[in-house]
Amino acid sequence: MGVHTTADKIIFISSLLGEIRKDFEAVPIKAQRGPKHKYPIADCLMSGLAIFGLKYGSLLQFDKANRSDEIVKGNLQNLYGVKESPSDTQMRTRLDDVDPIYLRKPYRTLFNLLQRSKLLWQYRFIDGYVIISIDGTEYFDSQEVHCDNCCERHHSNGKISYYHQMMSAVLVHPEKKEVIPLCPEPIIKQDGFTKNDCERNASIRLLDHIRREHPHLKIIITADALAANGPLIKHLVKLNMSYVIVVKPDGNKSLFEYMNVFKDTDLENVKITEKDGTIHQIKYHNQVPLNDSHPDLLVNFIDYTETKPNGKTYHNTWITGTTVTKGNALKLVKAGRAKWKIENETFNTLKNQNYHFEHNFGHGNQYLSTVLALLMMLAFLIDQIQQLGCGLFKAALHKLGSKRDLWEHLRALFFKYIIKSWEDIYNSLIYGHKAALLQPDTS
């Protein structure tokens, strides 16, 4: 029981948390305002990570359990390395001072561990390229609480609501359920007053971070139609990234007018019929101008229709920076369709599988809301890595049947027993309490 392969040891949760702790300890002192605090910033960050890792519903719930229960305090130290756990008020104060830029490092650290374990190789899809899906999402909304970085909605009744969004990026594969989140980029008030401007400006910063942190990674970016604009596509070319981006007639009028000049016989055509009767019909044309504003920016156009045996159809259109051929046309379509994994396998998972994504954990005066969102996504990344490559985690998930049940049973053990290691808690979930050295709370 509990025997790890070499890859398991690299990406087992205790190893991941140990490396994250090192990154948290390196958060510079200049990111901390005010007088000297009792609680080290690393303990505050690890406590925040534990809230989302253990699927607490709020900071206050975490505070009550931690303040009143020696078992919880001991387990936090044994499993998360938290020596001094702050109260919810103290945690808010400390985390509000952490510039989110310093939380990029642990994401990069976990990505590098995935590379070392060879698990990242599974995500190569077209000629060694990996697919990264990007999209914006909202994680805070209030009509009262706000800060200088809050975006604003001005309503017809004169009221203003304040909200926070971020541009997220996740590594996806058409044939894999697990996604690998990269560090999101906050969308701030200064990005603009329209959805297009906000997402475009934040996307450029996000893409710059990704290329700087992964200079040799062969990347295909997939995104929705908001990204089908000249400045963003030119920036992708500058960063040596390819792309498969949705285009629509209402948003790319001149492109579709250009394509409508062609007859079907003028387009390259690929028809593939699966064994189950599913038909893939792909029409494409390489080197067409994106729009009248950027006639020198040439893209490759794909028109795709899928017909199921029951007659149900799916249709979409994309532009890509990769030359389309009969050999890669269907793969590029699959790359484009994998875009939706950022919604289905990321945002929906965070909303529906006990991460409490839509719950307001706190706003603060400066960075708290963003820091908590990044810690939540980091906890999700740890879970995805475990689901992808950790034998013990997968065995526990298989035994309990669902992630909801896994989190529920894990939390029950966490509150009731003294736990020395993550191996003990997973073995207990798989084989029963007698299989692991768990000691009950006899106080």
Side-chain angles (χ1 to χ4, degrees):
M1 292 185 300
V3 176
H4 297 303
T5 65
T6 300
D8 277 340
K9 291 179 180 179
I10 294 173
I11 54 88
F12 189 57
I13 187 168
S14 56
S15 298
L16 303 181
L17 293 175
E19 294 300 317
I20 289 171
R21 171 87 193 196
K22 293 177 185 176
D23 290 337
F24 285 167
E25 289 174 346
V27 171
I29 299 299
K30 67 180 181 180
Q32 305 168 23
R33 295 181 293 114
K36 185 176 180 180
H37 294 274
K38 172 184 176 182
Y39 301 98
I41 195 64
D43 276 353
C44 295
L45 287 164
M46 290 301 293
S47 295
L49 184 62
I51 288 171
F52 300 113
L54 295 167
K55 314 303 180 280
Y56 280 91
S58 68
L59 271 66
L60 182 59
Q61 183 186 23
F62 174 82
D63 179 32
K64 287 181 178 179
N66 185 46
R67 187 182 301 178
S68 61
D69 197 326
E70 292 299 320
I71 293 291
V72 172
K73 289 182 180 180
N75 288 340
L76 277 173
Q77 181 163 351
N78 292 337
L79 300 182
Y80 283 90
V82 176
K83 299 175 183 178
E84 294 283 349
S85 181
S87 69
D88 66 320
T89 301
Q90 292 159 333
M91 189 187 303
R92 293 173 198 273
T93 300
R94 296 292 274 137
L95 297 187
D96 194 32
D97 289 336
V98 177
D99 191 324
I101 195 67
Y102 298 121
L103 297 188
R104 299 200 63 85
K105 182 60 167 61
Y107 283 86
R108 190 162 69 252
T109 294
L110 297 194
F111 191 92
N112 291 340
L113 291 176
L114 274 173
Q115 289 179 308
R116 284 178 50 200
S117 70
K118 310 300 183 185
L119 288 173
L120 201 66
W121 290 4
Q122 300 176 21
Y123 283 79
R124 293 180 296 182
F125 187 62
I126 302 177
D127 299 328
Y129 281 78
V130 298
I131 305 166
I132 295 178
S133 177
I134 65 171
D135 199 5
T137 189
E138 185 174 313
Y139 59 90
F140 174 85
D141 180 71
S142 173
Q143 290 195 354
E144 298 179 359
V145 180
H146 61 94
C147 66
D148 291 341
N149 289 327
C150 275
C151 299
E152 297 180 1
R153 291 190 184 95
H154 293 257
H155 303 280
S156 57
N157 61 4
K159 292 186 177 181
I160 301 174
S161 59
Y162 305 93
Y163 64 98
H164 279 280
Q165 290 179 311
M166 61 186 180
M167 282 301 298
S168 293
V170 296
L171 204 69
V172 300
H173 190 285
E175 297 162 8
K176 285 189 169 295
K177 187 173 184 179
E178 297 84 7
V179 299
I180 307 299
L182 306 178
C183 187
E185 176 64 21
I187 297 175
I188 57 177
K189 181 180 180 180
Q190 293 81 351
D191 281 324
F193 296 100
T194 68
K195 181 178 176 67
N196 285 13
D197 285 339
C198 287
E199 291 204 3
R200 182 184 307 168
N201 293 330
S203 294
I204 287 175
R205 293 197 304 273
L206 174 66
L207 294 168
D208 285 343
H209 285 311
I210 292 172
R211 180 47 81 206
R212 184 182 66 255
E213 293 166 355
H214 309 287
H216 306 298
L217 194 63
K218 298 172 70 175
I219 296 170
I220 294 175
I221 295 293
T222 182
D224 63 23
L226 282 178
N229 61 81
L232 185 58
I233 292 174
K234 286 184 176 181
H235 200 69
L236 287 169
V237 173
K238 177 183 175 182
L239 296 176
N240 194 28
M241 294 179 180
S242 190
Y243 53 87
V244 182
I245 297 174
V246 174
V247 286
K248 298 294 182 184
D250 55 347
N252 299 90
K253 183 178 179 181
S254 60
L255 172 64
F256 280 85
E257 288 176 347
Y258 184 91
M259 292 305 304
N260 288 337
V261 172
F262 293 99
K263 299 177 181 178
D264 280 351
T265 54
D266 296 325
L267 303 177
E268 296 291 339
N269 200 307
V270 177
K271 184 177 181 179
I272 299 171
T273 303
E274 305 279 5
K275 291 181 179 179
D276 67 355
T278 299
I279 299 173
H280 307 279
Q281 187 74 51
I282 307 169
K283 295 178 287 186
Y284 64 89
H285 198 288
N286 290 310
Q287 299 294 282
V288 298
L290 175 65
N291 53 40
D292 294 337
S293 300
H294 300 88
D296 59 326
L297 180 55
L298 301 180
V299 298
N300 308 308
F301 182 87
I302 299 174
D303 183 292
Y304 170 73
T305 301
E306 175 190 79
T307 305
K308 290 291 188 180
N310 61 6
K312 185 178 180 180
T313 63
Y314 166 85
H315 176 261
N316 213 338
T317 45
W318 295 274
I319 53 172
T320 176
T322 300
T323 301
V324 189
T325 67
K326 291 184 182 296
N328 70 10
L330 185 56
K331 276 202 164 187
L332 287 169
V333 165
K334 289 181 177 180
R337 296 187 72 174
K339 183 266 172 200
W340 301 108
K341 286 181 176 287
I342 195 171
E343 180 69 33
N344 297 334
E345 310 298 345
T346 308
F347 301 148
N348 287 344
T349 297
L350 292 172
K351 293 173 184 176
N352 301 321
Q353 293 189 9
N354 289 37
Y355 292 90
H356 307 286
F357 185 68
E358 295 180 317
H359 175 74
N360 177 15
F361 281 84
H363 186 271
N365 298 313
Q366 191 170 202
Y367 298 125
L368 178 63
S369 182
T370 300
V371 167
L372 292 173
L374 297 187
L375 290 176
M376 179 186 293
M377 190 68 81
L378 187 60
F380 174 64
L381 171 57
I382 292 169
D383 292 340
Q384 290 291 287
I385 292 174
Q386 297 294 286
Q387 185 175 326
L388 177 65
C390 175
L392 282 176
F393 182 94
K394 289 192 283 188
L397 180 58
H398 177 75
K399 177 68 177 291
L400 293 168
S402 72
K403 288 183 181 176
R404 282 183 175 274
D405 285 342
L406 175 59
W407 307 143
E408 183 178 337
H409 282 74
L410 190 151
R411 280 166 51 80
L413 294 178
F414 183 85
F415 287 122
K416 187 175 180 180
Y417 293 92
I418 300 171
I419 303 167
K420 297 298 184 183
S421 69
W422 283 101
E423 286 89 347
D424 282 350
I425 200 169
Y426 281 147
N427 280 325
S428 180
L429 291 170
I430 299 165
Y431 303 107
H433 300 175
K434 293 182 180 179
L437 301 177
L438 304 186
Q439 302 175 36
D441 180 6
T442 57
S443 59

